[in-house]
Amino acid sequence: MNTTQSTVFNDFLQWTRDNEWGYNGHFETNLSDGTQLTVWDSGVLVVEPAKTTDKDIVISCAVHGNETAPIEICRDIIQDIIAEKQSVIHRTLFLIANPASINVGRRFVEENMNRLFSGAHSEGGISNPERERAAKLEQYVKRFYQYVEGTNRRRYHYDLHTAIRDSKREKFAVYPFTHGKPYKKDQLLFLLACGVDTVLLNKAATTTFSYFSVNEFGADAFTVELGKVRPFGENNRDSFAAAERSLRQLIAQPEPQLPNFDPQQHFIFAEAQTINRMNQDFELNFADDVANFTAFEKGDLLATDGGEPIYAQHDAEHIIFPNAKVALGQRALLTVVRVPTESLELV
Ligand SMILES: O=C(O)CCC(=O)N[C@@H](CCC(=O)O)C(=O)O
Ligand SMILES: [Zn+2]
């Protein structure tokens, strides 16, 4: 390896952070078993085993730069692959999505990247580095999924996050809108193996990264909330061990080892309201330390927007991702209601 190449592969996260808005170049190396590692950009690593299976797996982190536990997990898996301590039998794309936001230790630099997918990066006549990066990430995902010929390939995308607030249900995933396609038991079981027993069902399209993969490529894709935002080094890695172990098994084994499906083990919530902040004068009617999954009763005041009240519409309506400081037009609060797992159309 030459010096630059060894810098890239010796510490992929550090090299990515050193090239925070991208690197206009290409690196590749082969492992002793013939697995090819190709770097398409900073933070973009393709792992291709010598023998191709029918699965294409995307694992992304750092769409929000201060959500460090997923970054630590991806960093460690990537370095173990490079050191030949972690085997990979399926094509896998790792994405460290927004390195510049890691470097400033914030959710984003100029604009929330997880509102920029499915082409939103090109709307509104605004240009900034996060929009350019989101557009490139879309192209990398497209190139990765479409690289191998064949219509029956199984596509997956786990977009790893941590949440700003405490949560009464610590780990949960967002199941993006499937446009009526049935939900999948094996995916609920895989999430459960990751320690995620709670799943929120979106009822409409969004501009998140996971919805992009669902909608454009028919992937089984999820936003996976693994815990709470903490600075590097302050994550309790024990709490993330099940997720890391399951992701490692996912890429290393023909099929994940999953138990039989038991509806009682899954806690499913359907979207009730998505409340977007439409006015500067937007206030939540509860304190900053009220946790995700706190339940409100029908008629309770949740927020005011431009002085207009917004109420809970159901009993036991749970609040998720409250954030009064989001940009105008963006989601300031999601609310969900529990639904029986048995009520889902599952395959
Ligand atoms: O804790 C919060 O307020 C936000 C945590 C986070 O980044 N969540 C994702 C969820 C994406 C989705 O709805 O699929 C986000 O807000 O982008
Ligand atoms: Zn996030």
Side-chain angles (χ1 to χ4, degrees):
M1 280 190 198
N2 62 38
T3 317
T4 315
Q5 191 161 355
S6 62
T7 307
V8 174
F9 290 110
N10 279 349
D11 188 338
F12 185 69
L13 174 61
Q14 189 56 56
W15 174 77
T16 293
R17 293 181 63 173
D18 291 342
N19 294 273
E20 59 180 12
W21 289 119
Y23 185 90
N24 192 13
H26 181 104
F27 300 95
E28 60 182 54
T29 190
N30 283 293
L31 303 179
S32 61
D33 65 357
T35 300
Q36 184 170 310
L37 308 183
T38 312
V39 174
W40 285 345
D41 194 344
S42 60
V44 181
L45 173 69
V46 187
V47 183
E48 290 175 297
K51 194 163 155 250
T52 302
T53 66
D54 69 339
K55 288 190 187 179
D56 297 316
I57 300 167
V58 178
I59 301 175
S60 55
C61 66
V63 165
H64 297 128
N66 60 345
E67 299 176 6
T68 60
I71 303 169
E72 292 180 352
I73 291 170
C74 289
R75 174 198 66 197
D76 292 353
I77 298 176
I78 289 169
Q79 287 313 133
D80 282 353
I81 292 169
I82 294 168
E84 308 202 14
K85 293 181 193 156
Q86 166 70 49
S87 69
V88 180
I89 68 160
H90 308 291
R91 292 181 74 246
T92 302
L93 170 65
F94 289 95
L95 295 170
I96 301 170
N98 190 348
S101 70
I102 304 176
N103 287 345
V104 294
R106 296 205 311 262
R107 187 166 168 77
F108 54 85
V109 178
E110 286 189 44
E111 194 171 358
N112 182 352
M113 183 178 272
N114 217 16
R115 303 294 177 270
L116 293 177
F117 293 96
S118 298
H121 50 74
S122 300
E123 286 165 11
I126 302 165
S127 146
N128 63 42
E130 259 134 353
R131 287 181 170 231
E132 286 167 27
R133 178 81 175 171
K136 283 188 190 165
L137 292 174
E138 287 188 354
Q139 290 307 311
Y140 297 138
V141 170
K142 180 176 183 183
R143 194 192 325 174
F144 175 73
Y145 280 142
Q146 295 184 340
Y147 195 71
V148 180
E149 302 271 315
T151 49
N152 289 324
R153 299 192 60 73
R154 291 184 285 165
R155 295 169 172 164
Y156 304 91
H157 180 175
Y158 302 98
D159 183 33
L160 309 179
H161 289 248
T162 48
I164 298 166
R165 297 201 178 206
D166 284 330
S167 183
K168 294 190 170 195
R169 312 194 67 86
E170 192 199 32
K171 298 189 190 336
F172 57 100
V174 178
Y175 209 134
F177 185 49
T178 62
H179 295 264
K181 292 205 184 106
Y183 302 107
K184 296 199 176 157
K185 284 183 196 168
D186 67 344
Q187 290 304 301
L188 297 184
L189 284 169
F190 177 72
L191 291 168
L192 191 61
C194 290
V196 178
D197 65 358
T198 300
V199 173
L200 317 183
L201 309 175
N202 271 166
K203 66 179 179 188
T206 60
T207 48
T208 63
F209 204 9
S210 57
Y211 174 75
F212 169 72
S213 290
V214 168
N215 186 47
E216 308 237 351
F217 305 105
D220 293 323
F222 301 87
T223 308
V224 188
E225 301 285 349
L226 290 172
K228 193 175 173 184
V229 167
R230 294 189 199 288
F232 279 118
E234 292 184 22
N235 297 303
N236 174 6
R237 290 292 290 273
D238 289 349
S239 151
F240 300 92
E244 179 168 347
R245 188 172 56 245
S246 300
L247 290 166
R248 285 177 181 271
Q249 284 175 3
L250 178 75
I251 60 177
Q253 296 180 1
E255 300 298 332
Q257 309 289 306
L258 299 173
N260 289 334
F261 186 74
D262 172 4
Q264 300 305 316
Q265 294 197 294
H266 304 270
F267 298 83
I268 311 294
F269 292 80
E271 179 178 341
Q273 303 188 62
T274 290
I275 295 159
N276 294 331
R277 176 190 185 188
M278 302 312 290
N279 293 278
Q280 282 299 340
D281 169 23
F282 181 95
E283 282 177 30
L284 294 166
N285 192 42
F286 47 85
D288 287 347
D289 61 357
V290 172
N292 285 326
F293 288 95
T294 298
F296 287 76
E297 296 305 304
K298 185 173 178 177
D300 284 349
L301 182 67
L302 297 175
T304 52
D305 190 8
E308 288 297 310
I310 299 168
Y311 299 104
Q313 295 175 345
H314 308 267
D315 286 337
E317 192 167 324
H318 298 69
I319 54 151
I320 315 287
F321 303 140
N323 186 349
K325 296 192 174 71
V326 294
L328 288 186
Q330 293 198 353
R331 182 180 71 199
L333 178 63
L334 172 69
T335 67
V336 296
V337 288
R338 177 98 188 264
V339 293
T341 308
E342 293 84 348
S343 69
L344 266 56
E345 192 192 347
L346 280 164
V347 290

